[in-house]
Amino acid sequence: MAPILTPEQHLVMALTERLISGLSIIGILFIILTYSFSSAFSKPINRLVFYASWGNLGLCIVALISMDGPDAGEDSPLCQFQGFMAQLFLGVDAYWAFCMAINIYLVFFRSYNTKQLRGLDHKYVIVCYGFALIPSIIYLFIETEDRGKIYGGAILWCWVSNEWSFLRIAVLYVFMWIAVLIAIYIYIMAGRDVWRKRHALKGFLNPFNEDPFAKHVTMTTSVTIRSESRKPSMPNLRVREVDESHVDPNYDAYSVNIEIGQLDQRREMPRRPSRPAVFNIPSLTRSAALSEENADAFLYARVAFLFFIALLITWVPSSVNRAYALAHPETIDFPLNFTSAVVFSSQGLLNCAVYMATSQSACRKLWAKLLRRDYVSPKESFTPYPVGRDEDRSGRQRLDSDATSITNLTAR
């Protein structure tokens, strides 16, 4: 006989699942609505979190149905629907974390930028949701006399029934943990790379520092000036040539050093003599590695890592519970099942926390707008020297950085 919960445990589990999944739905709707309708939120580092949120929404629907599915019986449409949704969306976060890890590999070791990563999005959507959709549909049509239907009661909700429990491991947990282990390996390699560049990437690992690169943007521009000699317009004017021996060899008549930023900072920066353009070669330092597109790629890597941490919080307790159930099929460990119910229901809430941590300025602006206050961001209130700009979706110009240095304008 399959193990069952006591009525008190049944009630506690149902209430907990519905309460936390309700909060998760609020977080998911916040992600979907702000990303869809606000240019401040719709940036590359939030894109895959947005795609994963649809899977979180489906899992929250499963949690809202809770134990009403098993109580209705495995032959009921409600139980079959709940089982289909659970199989479809349970592993989606793991697959998206794997895709994010692939992007991290491409960013750190293949020098991909955000435009190249965006071209992979449609492939990721097909793989993440299509890979889970195939078994979810097949399970609806399989039934045997000995085991019955695949979808049936699974303590927390309707999913793969206890009689078919080996399918939970073979079709979901094995692939999920393979993806997680590969992602861990990629993150270890990327972490070593970040550690080697820890001085150049200072602040990168702080999740509450939304953009650690905003104050350190450097642009190098080369300007060529063409000139031609001409006779003086006044015929009686004599032009005296200057002996080059009296000219400072370090003096460059066409060298311009323009520095834009805070006044005290500009006074402290000494002027350096110009150097040939051949020496202006980018290196893996903060200023060179963090070009306009590469900075977004590095920030994207941090978001992916935070998303992966949220995934581990969800799947480690669940995997422990599954291992215990295999070892002790005749008993139910209520604390483990309760923990699994909590973490599964909170996936959307955890992902929303990651989303908000990487969109702090946008969240503050939205909150101030809701309170009908005039909001001035730290970047916009800083200085009368705005130079770096980028266009958002509406075509308006927005400040992209609060300080920009333009150096080495060399004439040839």
Side-chain angles (χ1 to χ4, degrees):
M1 180 179 177
I4 60 174
L5 298 172
T6 65
E8 293 79 11
Q9 292 173 338
H10 187 289
L11 179 62
V12 170
M13 293 274 284
L15 290 177
T16 302
E17 284 182 330
R18 286 169 176 161
L19 175 62
I20 299 178
S21 61
L23 295 175
S24 287
I25 288 177
I26 294 175
I28 293 166
L29 292 178
F30 176 80
I31 294 174
I32 293 174
L33 293 176
T34 54
Y35 184 88
S36 300
F37 299 105
S38 174
S39 60
F41 288 90
S42 56
K43 47 189 179 181
I45 58 177
N46 288 332
R47 194 169 60 249
L48 294 193
V49 177
F50 168 76
Y51 292 145
S53 295
W54 295 98
N56 298 149
L57 183 60
L59 193 58
C60 285
I61 294 173
V62 173
L64 283 177
I65 297 174
S66 187
M67 295 186 174
D68 289 348
D71 292 344
E74 68 175 27
D75 293 327
S76 65
L78 181 62
C79 182
Q80 293 298 302
F81 171 76
Q82 188 183 35
F84 169 80
M85 295 286 285
Q87 180 64 33
L88 177 59
F89 295 118
L90 267 176
V92 164
D93 260 18
Y95 302 146
W96 277 112
F98 176 68
C99 293
M100 289 182 180
I102 292 176
N103 281 357
I104 299 308
Y105 173 79
L106 296 175
V107 167
F108 277 81
F109 305 107
R110 291 293 181 266
S111 301
Y112 270 49
N113 56 39
T114 52
K115 291 181 180 180
Q116 291 171 303
L117 295 181
R118 189 181 185 91
L120 300 174
D121 286 354
H122 67 284
K123 298 178 182 178
Y124 291 157
V125 171
I126 294 173
V127 170
C128 291
Y129 290 108
F131 185 75
L133 181 63
I134 295 173
S136 301
I137 294 176
I138 293 175
Y139 287 178
L140 289 171
F141 302 99
I142 296 178
E143 181 179 4
T144 65
E145 293 182 1
D146 295 334
R147 292 191 174 97
K149 292 184 176 182
I150 291 182
Y151 292 138
I155 302 178
L156 298 179
W157 44 54
C158 280
W159 182 32
V160 176
S161 66
N162 292 327
E163 290 75 15
W164 295 88
S165 59
F166 68 92
L167 291 177
R168 303 175 188 173
I169 305 297
V171 180
L172 180 63
Y173 281 88
V174 168
F175 290 101
M176 186 275 297
W177 276 107
I178 289 175
V180 167
L181 291 176
I182 295 175
I184 289 175
Y185 177 71
I186 292 174
Y187 282 120
I188 290 174
M189 291 195 303
R192 292 173 59 187
D193 195 59
V194 171
W195 179 254
R196 287 196 299 267
K197 304 181 182 71
R198 60 188 180 277
H199 299 296
L201 301 175
K202 185 178 179 182
F204 172 78
L205 295 178
N206 182 4
F208 299 103
N209 188 356
E210 180 182 1
D211 190 353
F213 313 133
K215 296 182 180 181
H216 301 272
V217 179
T218 301
M219 296 176 60
T220 301
T221 305
S222 180
V223 177
T224 301
I225 301 177
R226 297 180 179 177
S227 62
E228 59 181 7
S229 60
R230 56 181 300 181
K231 296 180 179 181
S233 57
M234 301 177 62
N236 297 326
L237 179 64
R238 295 183 178 180
V239 179
R240 182 172 62 89
E241 296 184 357
V242 179
D243 187 358
E244 293 185 359
S245 63
H246 297 286
V247 180
D248 186 354
N250 293 326
Y251 174 73
D252 189 344
Y254 299 106
S255 177
V256 182
N257 193 39
I258 302 174
E259 297 160 0
I260 300 176
Q262 294 184 11
L263 186 60
D264 56 345
Q265 292 178 348
R266 292 186 293 129
R267 287 175 178 173
E268 295 176 0
M269 295 178 60
R271 175 177 175 177
R272 295 177 297 177
S274 61
R275 58 180 178 175
V278 69
F279 293 106
N280 297 329
I281 300 175
S283 59
L284 290 178
T285 62
R286 186 184 190 90
S287 59
L290 305 177
S291 61
E292 180 181 353
E293 292 180 345
N294 232 12
D296 284 339
F298 273 84
L299 291 174
Y300 172 89
R302 187 175 62 173
V303 175
F305 181 74
L306 294 175
F307 184 88
F308 183 74
I309 295 298
L311 173 73
L312 292 181
I313 293 174
T314 300
W315 277 97
V316 169
S318 174
S319 298
V320 172
N321 182 42
R322 187 54 47 209
Y324 180 88
L326 287 176
H328 307 280
E330 301 300 325
T331 61
I332 292 180
D333 188 285
F334 177 72
L336 283 177
N337 280 277
F338 180 79
T339 304
S340 297
V342 170
V343 294
F344 272 135
S345 303
S346 62
Q347 277 188 1
L349 202 58
L350 292 173
N351 291 345
C352 182
V354 173
Y355 179 83
M356 294 179 69
T358 58
S359 307
Q360 296 172 42
S361 60
C363 289
R364 287 193 294 266
K365 181 177 290 188
L366 177 63
W367 178 250
K369 185 176 182 181
L370 293 176
L371 294 179
R372 296 183 178 179
R373 294 176 180 176
D374 294 331
Y375 175 79
V376 180
S377 68
K379 295 182 181 181
E380 294 171 347
S381 62
F382 156 61
T383 177
Y385 301 104
V387 289
R389 294 187 175 182
D390 191 10
E391 288 190 1
D392 58 20
R393 287 184 175 180
S394 61
R396 295 189 299 269
Q397 298 289 333
R398 59 182 176 85
L399 293 179
D400 196 41
S401 64
D402 60 345
T404 303
S405 297
I406 304 177
T407 60
N408 298 322
L409 294 175
T410 305
R412 293 179 175 272

